[in-house]
């Protein structure tokens, strides 16, 4: 498995960097590392318990041997990582692999009702993932699936079909595990949702699609990229000081679209507080060159871009042209064009999508997001804004209950 990752935060950036400011930011390194190393929520940098992988792989085999499909319920940090990587590691068209369905990440009654209808004739298990055990979207989907499970199976069967991944000791889901003796996994209390990629929250779902051993190895390898991650955080901070308030994550492979969703949550929730932070957006090129390309090239100059370049996807020839190479040429051309239009472009290059590279890349981005939060002088590991919205919903639901509407 080739394992190469390269960073270019210079070639298409230099014209825009204010050297004095950049040096000032770079010089905060000792302070930022010190804050990071003393943070309580960096459980994801601690030694990995290999036993967890064994437990996950055994359960995966049990599920595959006994059921037709697994339904994963979760949202935000309990969803995006595994969904993003699932997309990158599976074929675009049906590959006859074991069926894994995701739900609980919105409130679509059409989706949920059609899912229940679909599952009626399926032999399925469910993995509900929520650190808090209280998130409305996840819990509603879980309630709906529980109703179906209870209708279809006896209590002994139910016990084997529900797997709960949640906090070790607090929350409604943990209580359910204890009451019913359900199979469960822990999201450690010192790891927040968007930093939970290398926990059972994502590793169990991902065990159906990729080699989680290599992913974990790549991730821990990537934790050594501290200086690269810090440089990236500094460049971004520098751009922000120049009025570049929007970072556009650019990919050229449709199966990476959800990877940029994961990045958007990682950076958005980490930095976006106390009226600070860079607003993360994403584009899938070449598709979006035909829609947003105009704005990026010539519009309001508040954007900088970070390209994730995958050198080798798949060789496929059309009229003697290698499409993989063509995509690479187009990427370089877009970078040159945007740079000429005043848009700074970071380039992160991997030679191919494999578990080691992606594990490493994820570690790099997680380190960088955390450093970046500290460079913005905010707490990288909380998300008070998400809690505000959750509280408004709870209050409004209570209000409806007063009006005798207990049905959500
Ligand atoms: O990053 C976060 O903490 C949030 O986005 C959560 O992951 C999201 O709200 C889901 O929370 P929970 O896992 O508690 O259901």
């Amino acid at each position: 498995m080739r394992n190469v990752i390269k960073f270019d935060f210079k070639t298409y950036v230099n014209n825009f960097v204010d050297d004095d400011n950049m040096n000032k930011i770079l010089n905060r390194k000792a302070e930022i590392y010190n804050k990071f190393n003393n943070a309580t929520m960096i459980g994801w940098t601690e030694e990995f318990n290999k036993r967890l992988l064994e437990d996950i792989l055994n359960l995966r085999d049990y599920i595959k041997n006994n059921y037709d499909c697994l339904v994963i319920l979760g949202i935000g940090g309990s969803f995006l990582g595994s969904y993003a990587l699932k997309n990158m590691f599976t074929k675009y068209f049906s590959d006859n692999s074991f069926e894994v369905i995701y739900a609980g990440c919105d409130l679509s009654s059409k989706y949920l009702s059609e899912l229940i209808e679909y599952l009626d004739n399926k032999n399925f298990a469910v993995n509900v993932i929520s650190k808090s055990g209280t998130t409305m979207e996840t819990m509603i989907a879980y309630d709906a699936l529980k109703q179906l499970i209870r209708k279809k199976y006896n209590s002994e069967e139910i016990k084997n079909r529900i797997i709960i991944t949640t906090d070790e000791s607090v929350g409604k889901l943990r209580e359910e595990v204890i009451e019913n003796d359900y199979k469960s996994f822990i999201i450690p209390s010192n790891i927040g949702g968007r930093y939970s990629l290398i926990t059972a929250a994502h590793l169990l779902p991902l065990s159906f699609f990729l080699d989680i051993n290599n992913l974990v190895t790549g991730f821990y390898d990537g934790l050594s990229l501290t200086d690269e991650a810090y440089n990236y955080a500094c460049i971004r901070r520098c751009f922000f000081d120049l009025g570049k308030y929007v970072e556009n994550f650019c990919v050229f492979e449709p199966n990476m679209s959800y990877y940029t969703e994961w990045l958007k949550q990682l950076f958005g929730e980490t930095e976006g507080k106390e009226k600070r932070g860079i607003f993360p957006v994403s584009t899938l090129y070449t598709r979006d060159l035909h829609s947003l390309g105009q704005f990026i090239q010539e519009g309001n100059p508040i954007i900088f871009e970070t390209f994730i370049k995958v050198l080798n996807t798949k060789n496929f020839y059309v009229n003697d042209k290698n499409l993989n190479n063509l995509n690479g040429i187009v990427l370089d051309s877009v970078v040159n064009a945007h740079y000429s239009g005043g848009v700074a472009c970071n380039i992160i290059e991997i030679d191919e999508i494999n578990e080691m590279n992606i594990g490493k890349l994820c570690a790099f981005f997680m380190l960088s997001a955390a450093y970046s939060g500290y460079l913005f002088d905010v707490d990288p590991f909380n998300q008070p804004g998400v809690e505000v919205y959750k509280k408004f919903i709870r209050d409004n639901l209570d209000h409806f209950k007063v009006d005798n509407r207990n049905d959500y």
Side-chain angles (χ1 to χ4, degrees), residues 75-78 130-133 135 193-194 265 269 383 386 390:
I75 195 167
S78 294
S130 172
K131 187 173 180 199
S132 62
T135 303
R194 60 190 172 279
Q265 184 200 11
E269 275 190 3
Q383 54 286 324
V386 181
K390 286 184 178 177

Side-chain angles (χ1 to χ4, degrees), residues 71-73 103-104 112 115-117 119-120 124-129 133-155 157-164 171-180 182 408:
V71 184
I72 306 285
L73 307 178
L112 201 53
L115 174 66
I116 298 295
E117 212 178 289
L119 291 173
D120 205 20
F124 70 94
V126 56
N127 178 204
V128 50
I129 306 164
T134 55
T135 303
M136 185 184 58
E137 294 88 338
T138 310
M139 298 311 280
I140 284 180
Y142 180 43
D143 283 349
L145 262 81
K146 259 197 298 196
Q147 267 177 29
L148 180 64
I149 287 185
R150 286 193 185 125
K151 189 181 100 185
K152 283 171 63 114
Y153 306 110
N154 66 35
S155 54
E157 278 181 297
I158 293 174
K159 213 174 110 180
N160 291 325
R161 284 171 192 274
I162 295 181
I163 303 133
I164 293 183
K172 212 172 129 211
L173 284 176
R174 181 53 57 194
E175 286 167 22
E176 251 188 71
V177 171
I178 296 166
E179 246 167 61
N180 302 288
Y182 287 150
Y408 300 114

Side-chain angles (χ1 to χ4, degrees), residues 377-391:
D377 298 304
V378 297
D379 178 350
F381 301 115
N382 66 1
Q383 54 286 324
V386 181
E387 308 308 332
V388 172
Y389 129 81
K390 286 184 178 177
K391 184 175 179 318

